[in-house]
Amino acid sequence: MATDRYAGVPPGVQAAFDDSEPRAIVADDGNLALVTYGSSSCPPTVTGIRAEDAGTITLSLAESPNDVCTADMAATTHVVPLPDEASGRPLTVHVVYTDMPWEFTIVAG
């Protein structure tokens, strides 16, 4: 689902390891950059994105399929193309972990 995933945060974004909640940024190319924090060897996987309306999307994440995970805290950026219907700014991003009881709502500018 994600078009790219890389360690760290997008250029120009400062990592905030004291705040492990996801962050979201709408990039100039129209993609969403979602930053998650957790094990560097087992980052979550983006499994779906749905536009609720012009200003709200729901992004689904699943637990990493990797078997052995390091016990560290690292940032991972997931680059996801936004649905055409998600044209509003700022954009409310509802993040749902499909196999864990975690949900976050964040605003991406």
Side-chain angles (χ1 to χ4, degrees):
M1 181 78 230
T3 58
D4 192 17
R5 181 173 73 188
Y6 56 88
V9 296
V13 174
Q14 193 168 5
F17 294 105
D18 59 329
D19 178 14
S20 60
E21 290 188 14
R23 293 178 170 209
I25 300 98
V26 177
D28 292 338
D29 62 4
N31 288 325
L32 179 76
L34 176 73
V35 180
T36 59
Y37 295 89
S39 171
S40 62
S41 62
C42 294
T45 301
V46 176
T47 58
I49 186 169
R50 180 179 72 240
E52 306 298 337
D53 55 46
T56 307
I57 62 169
T58 297
L59 189 65
S60 301
L61 297 177
E63 206 173 318
S64 172
N66 298 347
D67 290 332
V68 179
C69 302
T70 55
D72 61 347
M73 180 65 76
T76 300
T77 298
H78 312 264
V79 180
V80 182
L82 286 172
D84 292 337
E85 303 84 12
S87 57
R89 302 294 181 270
L91 185 64
T92 300
V93 181
H94 187 65
V95 180
V96 177
Y97 287 81
T98 56
D99 45 6
M100 296 175 272
W102 298 336
E103 292 187 19
F104 299 93
T105 299
I106 48 185
V107 176

